[in-house]
């Protein structure tokens, strides 16, 4: 996917995706600044670049995902690195205040933003920082961002991966793969909630369905059930728990497999089904509850995704979204579910930049680029 710029906007180059739980920000750091440009560069611009690129953490909750940085990209005739930054949506007002303090409006009067927060915080950007938001459709941005990142590759490595032997926990191995012959694909975007898209071409897609039970549900329930405060804490607890202490399995009902319909005894028959028992409730740990919550949400998403793939007659299923960040439990569980229930016909695919594609799509819109095959 070659970018052809009809105009070259002034630096800094940003794209934002303001979600219900997380804000994702991409920033292009030019590495080919000439001595003349550096001399003419205003202090505000230098200050912003230094602040964003010399730190990996911003305040208590902002993080630059250094491991995702893309090096030596050539965009609109400029060479540089693309940085990926995230912070909780709850901290949005602090971010706007920082933009005001660094006099961002003296450099740009408009920011390209997508996600529901582009509407929710539009007036705050205007009144607090004298900035206008160019609001972009989040699903358009998601697809355009995904296609661009896949086209430039991940610093020479494939962006896409899958799990080999997903049914064998001992030999389940992450493998890189290419997204050749991409269309059609079922794109499952797991953020606070879930949207499922059938994508037939870069400009031809439809939203098939979705579910309100997504990453926000997982974290919200974990906060209620365990007292945790963050996504990272919830996943750490889940990694140490045993969901079978909470969920009722097929073997708990049948004493083994339900052979007539090929249901293994280890399959979940009733999520949280053991919690009807006072004795079971008294014996479980917070870690078990976190693991069961994660498995419940993930299994539900996998089930819906598989049904959509069958109904739409699509064999390529791609999972994205920040719910999958540092979440190998869910990625492996989704891989297993797709493989098992489709009898090997469906393979779950995942992408390294998980939840940043919407922000990348907004960034591309800033550049007013067009595709040149």
């Amino acid at each position: 996917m070659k970018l052809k710029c009809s105009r070259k906007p002034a630096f800094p180059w940003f794209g934002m995706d303001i979600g219900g739980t997380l804000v994702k920000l991409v920033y292009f750091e030019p590495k080919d600044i000439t001595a003349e440009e550096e001399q003419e560069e205003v202090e505000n611009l230098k200050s912003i670049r230094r602040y964003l690129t010399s730190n990996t953490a911003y305040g208590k909750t902002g993080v630059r995902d250094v491991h995702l940085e893309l090096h030596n990209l050539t965009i609109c005739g400029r060479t540089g690195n693309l940085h990926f930054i995230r912070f909780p949506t709850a901290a949005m007002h602090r971010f706007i205040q920082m933009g005001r303090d660094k006099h961002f409006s003296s450099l740009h009067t408009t920011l390209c933003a997508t996600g529901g927060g582009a509407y929710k915080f539009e007036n705050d950007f205007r009144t607090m920082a004298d900035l206008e938001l160019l609001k972009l459709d989040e699903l358009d941005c998601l697809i355009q961002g995904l296609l661009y990142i896949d086209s430039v590759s991940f610093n020479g490595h494939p962006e896409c991966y899958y799990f080999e032997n997903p049914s064998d926990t001992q030999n389940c191995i992450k493998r890189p793969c290419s997204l050749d012959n991409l269309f059609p694909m079922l794109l499952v975007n797991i953020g606070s909630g879930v949207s499922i898209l059938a994508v037939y071409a870069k400009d031809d897609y439809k939203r098939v369905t979705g579910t309100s039970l997504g990453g926000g549900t997982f974290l919200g329930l974990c906060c209620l059930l365990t007292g945790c405060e963050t996504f990272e804490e919830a996943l750490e607890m889940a990694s140490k728990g045993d969901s079978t202490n909470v969920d009722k399995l097929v073997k708990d009902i049948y004493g083994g497999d339900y052979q007539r319909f090929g249901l293994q005894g280890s399959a979940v028959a009733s999520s949280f089904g053991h919690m009807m028992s006072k004795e079971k409730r008294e014996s479980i740990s917070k870690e078990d509850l976190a693991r069961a919550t994660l498995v419940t949400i993930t299994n539900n998403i996998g089930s819906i995704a598989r049904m959509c793939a069958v109904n739409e007659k699509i064999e390529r299923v791609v999972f994205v979204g920040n719910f999958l960040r540092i979440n190998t439990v869910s990625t492996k569980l989704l891989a297993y579910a797709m493989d098992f229930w489709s009898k090997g016909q469906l393979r779950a695919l995942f992408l390294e930049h998980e939840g940043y594609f919407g922000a990348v799509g907004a960034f591309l819109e800033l550049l007013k680029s067009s595709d040149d095959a």
Side-chain angles (χ1 to χ4, degrees):
M1 185 180 185
K2 187 179 176 184
L3 291 179
K4 186 168 133 187
C5 300
S6 56
R7 71 179 185 90
K8 194 179 294 183
F11 289 124
W13 294 355
F14 285 104
M16 290 181 69
D17 179 4
I18 311 172
T21 306
L22 276 182
V23 178
K24 286 75 66 179
L25 180 74
V26 297
Y27 167 66
F28 180 79
E29 175 198 9
K31 302 295 285 186
D32 58 355
I33 296 175
T34 65
E36 184 181 1
E37 280 181 311
E38 191 164 7
Q39 191 173 3
E40 293 177 355
E41 196 174 47
V42 296
E43 190 57 40
N44 290 357
L45 187 56
K46 289 179 183 176
S47 172
I48 289 171
R49 185 168 68 247
R50 281 197 300 264
Y51 178 70
L52 292 177
T53 60
S54 63
N55 293 294
T56 56
Y58 314 93
K60 294 180 179 178
T61 55
V63 175
R64 178 161 61 93
D65 285 315
V66 179
H67 66 289
L68 294 179
E69 183 177 330
L70 296 179
H71 304 289
N72 298 316
L73 292 182
T74 299
I75 301 175
C76 292
R78 302 303 302 255
T79 299
N81 299 340
L82 201 59
H83 297 272
F84 298 85
I85 298 165
R86 56 182 162 83
F87 59 90
T89 307
M92 176 53 82
H93 285 108
R94 291 202 295 276
F95 173 79
I96 298 173
Q97 187 173 342
M98 183 197 75
R100 182 190 65 193
D101 294 344
K102 291 188 176 294
H103 307 289
F104 193 91
S105 62
S106 68
L107 304 168
H108 271 306
T109 56
T110 303
L111 279 175
C112 287
T114 189
Y119 295 84
K120 180 178 179 180
F121 295 104
E122 180 181 20
N123 190 57
D124 295 322
F125 272 93
R126 184 182 298 125
T127 58
M128 292 175 63
D130 197 25
L131 288 167
E132 294 294 330
L133 293 186
L134 176 59
K135 302 185 295 296
L136 303 163
D137 182 81
E138 62 180 298
L139 300 182
D140 285 344
C141 287
L142 168 67
I143 293 169
Q144 297 306 317
L146 185 158
L147 294 177
Y148 175 71
I149 294 294
D150 180 62
S151 73
V152 299
S153 81
F154 188 9
N155 298 324
H157 303 284
E159 171 71 16
C160 184
Y161 66 93
Y162 70 98
F163 287 97
E164 191 177 81
N165 305 316
S167 301
D168 184 348
T169 55
Q170 298 300 317
N171 296 301
C172 181
I173 302 170
K174 178 181 175 180
R175 297 288 192 197
C177 65
S178 67
L179 275 177
D180 295 337
N181 304 314
L182 180 59
F183 307 114
M185 71 169 165
L186 196 76
L187 185 57
V188 184
N189 187 29
I190 314 173
S192 299
V194 182
S195 282
I196 300 178
L197 313 177
V199 186
Y200 303 100
K202 69 183 183 66
D203 296 314
D204 180 14
Y205 72 88
K206 64 179 181 180
R207 185 179 187 275
V208 179
T209 188
T211 172
S212 61
L213 306 182
T217 315
F218 163 66
L219 181 54
L221 286 175
C222 275
C223 290
L224 280 172
L225 294 170
T226 71
C228 71
E229 295 289 342
T230 67
F231 183 70
E232 290 78 6
E233 190 181 349
L235 282 181
E236 177 67 19
M237 294 178 79
S239 70
K240 298 173 181 175
D242 183 352
S243 58
T244 64
N245 293 331
V246 179
D247 296 335
K248 188 168 286 189
L249 308 182
V250 168
K251 66 183 178 183
D252 296 322
I253 299 172
Y254 278 85
D257 299 343
Y258 187 4
Q259 294 180 344
R260 180 183 175 189
F261 293 107
L263 285 172
Q264 295 179 343
S266 58
V268 179
S270 175
S271 297
F272 283 75
H274 280 321
M275 295 302 90
M276 293 181 283
S277 162
K278 182 179 180 182
E279 183 181 347
K280 292 277 189 182
R281 287 197 301 272
E282 291 174 346
S283 66
I284 54 143
S285 67
K286 289 182 178 181
E287 289 77 10
D288 294 340
L289 288 169
R291 181 66 168 238
T293 304
L294 185 61
V295 169
T296 297
I297 297 298
T298 305
N299 278 343
N300 185 61
I301 294 168
S303 176
I304 295 171
R306 178 186 166 269
M307 287 189 288
C308 289
V310 171
N311 288 342
E312 297 295 325
K313 298 179 175 58
I314 296 176
E315 294 184 359
R316 188 185 296 266
V317 185
V318 181
F319 292 90
V320 298
N322 265 301
F323 175 67
L324 301 176
R325 181 175 59 83
I326 61 168
N327 189 358
T328 54
V329 172
S330 288
T331 51
K332 288 184 176 181
L333 196 55
L334 287 168
Y336 168 75
M338 291 294 107
D339 179 74
F340 179 80
W341 294 111
S342 70
K343 295 180 172 60
Q345 295 302 302
L346 292 176
R347 175 189 282 174
L349 301 177
F350 305 94
L351 301 173
E352 298 286 0
H353 285 83
E354 297 136 346
Y356 280 107
F357 300 111
V360 173
F363 166 75
L364 297 176
E365 183 63 28
L366 169 71
L367 305 177
K368 293 290 183 185
S369 57
S370 60
D371 296 333
D372 192 288

